[in-house]
Amino acid sequence: MLHINNINDEKDSGEDGFDPWVKMRAVLDKVNHTRFYVPSRNVSIDESMIGMKNRCVYIQYMPNKRHARFGIKKFEVCDSNGYVLHVRLYVGKDFNVHHDEGQAFGVVKELMSASQLRNKGYHLHTDNFYTKPALAEYLLEQKTLLTVQ
């Protein structure tokens, strides 16, 4: 068996600093922060599912997804060549991306910041879930264009 986390870092649900992804956090952070690739000008943010039906607290049900209605929901920043630049896993009510303008605004703001794409002239493509006037204004201030697909 492969064990990639420090068991002393694990906290119970309800405790401050609880992370349901603690067993995968080290690998996920390493993948997200190791980059030897300069993305193309066009990037996109969207959610997708990793299909699974096992029993864990972060399994989501999304009836509008055809290929996987049950699974782990993730938010991704990808470039136009299909390269995934940053992944953020969703864990339901414990998902810690909140913003006064709504979850979509918070997700875009956090992912663009985490993937270091702000203030560099990128062109962000999203679907209508992420389209809000306040988000468009924020991205324009960050020198990022927004297109809705």
Side-chain angles (χ1 to χ4, degrees):
M1 294 201 330
L2 178 63
H3 198 74
I4 56 175
N5 71 315
N6 183 352
I7 197 158
N8 296 328
D9 293 341
E10 294 183 28
K11 301 199 180 203
D12 293 330
S13 180
E15 285 186 61
D16 284 341
F18 170 68
D19 182 10
W21 291 106
V22 69
K23 294 183 180 185
M24 285 294 301
R25 182 66 52 203
V27 171
L28 188 61
D29 287 347
K30 189 69 170 172
V31 169
N32 279 335
H33 298 301
T34 302
R35 186 175 311 136
F36 301 104
Y37 174 77
V38 177
S40 62
R41 183 173 179 255
N42 296 310
V43 296
S44 67
I45 292 180
D46 201 8
E47 79 246 355
S48 63
M49 293 283 278
I50 302 170
M52 60 178 52
K53 291 186 178 182
N54 61 344
R55 293 180 184 213
C56 56
V57 296
Y58 38 80
I59 295 293
Q60 298 292 308
Y61 173 67
M62 294 178 68
N64 59 343
K65 299 286 185 187
R66 288 187 178 192
H67 68 282
R69 291 194 169 120
F70 290 93
I72 297 171
K73 183 177 178 180
K74 59 184 175 156
F75 295 96
E76 297 175 326
V77 179
C78 303
D79 82 336
S80 60
N81 296 320
Y83 187 77
V84 177
L85 303 171
H86 195 85
V87 176
R88 185 74 192 267
L89 300 173
Y90 181 79
V91 290
K93 65 179 181 166
D94 295 324
F95 190 63
N96 58 358
V97 174
H98 300 288
H99 196 273
D100 295 338
E101 298 289 338
Q103 183 187 24
F105 190 101
V107 167
V108 171
K109 185 176 178 182
E110 196 273 332
L111 286 176
M112 291 296 285
S113 177
S115 56
Q116 300 171 355
L117 299 176
R118 293 184 307 151
N119 297 315
K120 295 183 180 176
Y122 282 97
H123 191 154
L124 177 64
H125 298 263
T126 65
D127 59 12
N128 61 358
F129 174 73
Y130 300 98
T131 308
K132 308 281 188 270
L135 177 61
E137 290 172 6
Y138 168 77
L139 289 173
L140 194 56
E141 291 170 4
Q142 300 292 318
K143 299 179 184 169
T144 303
L145 299 176
L146 177 66
T147 299
V148 180
Q149 304 278 327

